[in-house]
Amino acid sequence: MAMLDVLQETIDYMETHLCEPLTIGEIAKQANVSPFHFQRLFAVLTDMSVGDYLRKRRLTLAAQELVRSDLKIIDLAYKYQYETPEAFTKSFR
């Protein structure tokens, strides 16, 4: 399988599990490579780190949900894996 196909499948896995705590080990396991190799590959192909990708995607989904729902900020913060509501709020700045 081509590396781009593997990367896409791994991104699909991350998208499916955005509201769960993810480790680089779990993500790399989906690609059948070491965490170190996956992080390097991901950064080369996407021009961002795995952590940055997850943060940006979670923040985007949280912002959309914040506009569309009546959920409290604290509930959204915990749903999208932020440790505190303050960290969640700071991410928007």
Side-chain angles (χ1 to χ4, degrees), residues 10-67:
T10 308
I11 289 172
D12 292 344
Y13 173 81
M14 288 188 285
E15 289 289 328
T16 303
H17 297 87
L18 277 175
C19 292
E20 302 167 17
L22 287 171
T23 66
I24 190 64
E26 294 169 346
I27 296 167
K29 187 175 182 181
Q30 297 300 311
N32 292 317
V33 296
S34 71
F36 174 78
H37 183 70
F38 182 75
Q39 288 183 87
R40 289 186 61 210
L41 176 68
F42 191 89
V44 167
L45 294 175
T46 64
D47 201 31
M48 71 175 69
S49 72
V50 175
D52 285 344
Y53 176 81
L54 290 172
R55 256 186 307 282
K56 288 177 183 181
R57 287 295 297 136
R58 286 173 174 158
L59 193 58
T60 299
L61 292 176
Q64 291 172 349
E65 199 165 339
L66 189 60
V67 170

Side-chain angles (χ1 to χ4, degrees), residues 53-83:
Y53 176 81
L54 290 172
R55 256 186 307 282
K56 288 177 183 181
R57 287 295 297 136
R58 286 173 174 158
L59 193 58
T60 299
L61 292 176
Q64 291 172 349
E65 199 165 339
L66 189 60
V67 170
R68 295 181 185 150
S69 74
D70 293 332
L71 289 175
K72 295 178 181 178
I73 291 176
I74 190 169
D75 295 331
L76 285 173
Y78 292 133
K79 178 179 180 180
Y80 289 101
Q81 303 304 306
Y82 285 86
E83 296 282 325

